[in-house]
Each structure stands twice: as structure tokens, then as C-alpha cells.
Amino acid sequence: MSLVAGVDSSTQSCKVVVRDTETGALVRSGRAVHPEGTEVDPQEWWDALQVAVADAGGLGDVAAISIAAQQHGMVVLDIDGHVIRPALLWNDTRSAPAAAELIDEVGAAEYAQRTGLVPVASFTATKLRWLRDAEPGNAARVAAVALSPRLAHLAAARLRPGRREPPRPRPDRADHRPFRREWHRVLVAQHRRVRPRPLRARPRAPGSAAPSARPR
């Protein structure tokens, strides 16, 4: 019997199911809760994944793993790939005023034409604008922004070291040109103090310790 595993790392919990590839029958499953609230240390996601995997009886006998993750989370990394502050989840609305400011500065129609989106509080771009204004010290340290789907890909690589990493998902951000698959430099400049730059190390290489927002 050949087995595959599916992982859903959602807002409230992490769920793991293992199924028979021939019949689709559920063989076993596991679950672990995520912290409450709209702000969370990304280390908690990795810890919950480990608990859910153990609860499901492990993944040593599965042939493949697929991981889905919540959207729009803001995970900011410094030049060494360390998490700077707790992640802001999609349902954190503190950046609603920042979304309104971006629309006022660029225009809703122009924003939609350039990116296919109009900024709202759930989008990462508005959270970066909030970070610029509310936490300028942290904003100045930002070298990269890791979205939740990308973290799911890295988690899959850590669970199955040596396996080929699947293609990266398209970012759902309000400063990305989806039709050209590139960042919009003019809109990124709206964040000013947030200046992404090359990292000295991968944020979560397979087999390495997971980055944490806890003080260093």
C-alpha cells in the first residue's frame, strides 16, 4: 500500500491526514492547535506541525507530502534570515488605515490595473506600510518578507530533506504584478523604510533550526 500525506496549516490549527493512494481511504490523522490571536511567533507553526505529525503516527512511510498554508501573513526577516517580530496574520486589521493611505496615494483604479488588487487590511503590503509607520526600527531591519505559502514549501523541504522542492506559489500581495510575475518597484517604494535585499542565509534551510521571533 502506497501512502501520501496532506497537511493543512491554517489560522486556528495544523491538521495532518495520511491516505491510501489507490483507494483514497483515510489511514490515520493528527491535529494540533495554533495560538489564538492575530499575531504569532512563526516558531509556533513549526512546533504545531511536529505535534500533528506525531499525532498522525509519523511520516516515515509516506511517499509524498503536500502542505497548504493560510494566506496573507506577514513574516519579516533580517539580513541573516531571522524573524524580526511576530507574524501578523491575514485577519489582523490594524493596517486598515495604511490600506486607505495607499489607495489615496496611488488610486484604487490605478492600483487594480497595476496589481489586480485594491489594498485591504488583510494584504501583506498594507501590513508593511503599517510596520514602516508603527515600528520604524523593525522596518529598517527588513531584508525579506516570507509569505505563509512560501513557509509551507520550506516546511515540506525540512520534513523530507533531499526531495525536490515544488514550485513557489504566486504571492497574494498588493505590490506584485501577477501577469508579469514581478514586483512593482513604484508600489514597493510606497513603503520606503522597508527595503528588501539579499539574505546572507536561507531563512529555513532543510535540517536547520527554525527561525523564531523571540529576542536574540
Side-chain angles (χ1 to χ4, degrees):
M1 179 173 62
S2 180
L3 302 177
V4 293
V7 177
D8 176 19
S9 182
S10 64
T11 306
Q12 296 179 327
S13 65
C14 180
K15 297 168 285 291
V16 176
V17 296
V18 177
R19 291 186 177 272
D20 184 330
T21 58
E22 294 183 2
T23 66
L26 177 65
V27 177
R28 56 185 190 266
S29 64
R31 183 179 183 275
V33 298
H34 285 159
E36 295 183 358
T38 63
E39 190 174 27
V40 61
D41 180 349
Q43 178 69 41
E44 301 283 356
W45 294 331
W46 176 252
D47 292 344
L49 175 59
Q50 297 300 294
V51 173
V53 167
D55 191 38
L59 301 176
D61 57 347
V62 303
I65 302 170
S66 177
I67 300 183
Q70 57 189 294
Q71 296 286 338
H72 307 316
M74 182 191 76
V75 182
V76 285
L77 309 176
D78 67 16
I79 195 69
D80 294 310
H82 297 148
V83 175
I84 295 172
R85 71 173 319 282
L88 295 184
L89 306 187
W90 63 272
N91 55 351
D92 190 294
T93 59
R94 72 186 72 183
S95 62
E101 290 173 5
L102 289 170
I103 292 173
D104 287 343
E105 293 172 11
V106 179
E110 182 68 14
Y111 229 123
Q113 159 122 35
R114 295 181 184 183
T115 69
L117 298 169
V118 176
V120 294
S122 63
F123 293 157
T124 307
T126 66
K127 299 181 190 304
L128 289 173
R129 178 61 171 256
W130 171 88
L131 185 70
R132 184 204 74 171
D133 296 335
E135 300 179 0
N138 283 335
R141 297 172 56 201
V142 174
V145 182
L147 304 182
S148 299
R150 175 62 178 149
L151 293 177
H153 279 57
L154 291 171
R158 290 188 65 192
L159 287 171
R160 304 289 281 181
R163 300 296 181 93
R164 183 177 67 85
E165 187 179 331
R168 301 182 185 186
R170 179 185 68 79
D172 286 313
R173 285 184 50 174
D175 49 10
H176 185 262
R177 283 172 163 166
F179 306 112
R180 299 187 186 180
R181 294 180 177 272
E182 65 183 13
W183 300 112
H184 198 298
R185 294 183 181 277
V186 173
L187 297 185
V188 170
Q190 296 295 124
H191 309 304
R192 285 187 275 280
R193 292 190 190 92
V194 180
R195 299 186 180 91
R197 50 203 184 274
L199 300 182
R200 286 197 283 255
R202 285 173 59 88
R204 291 177 71 168
S208 66
S212 172
R214 299 184 179 101
R216 292 181 176 274

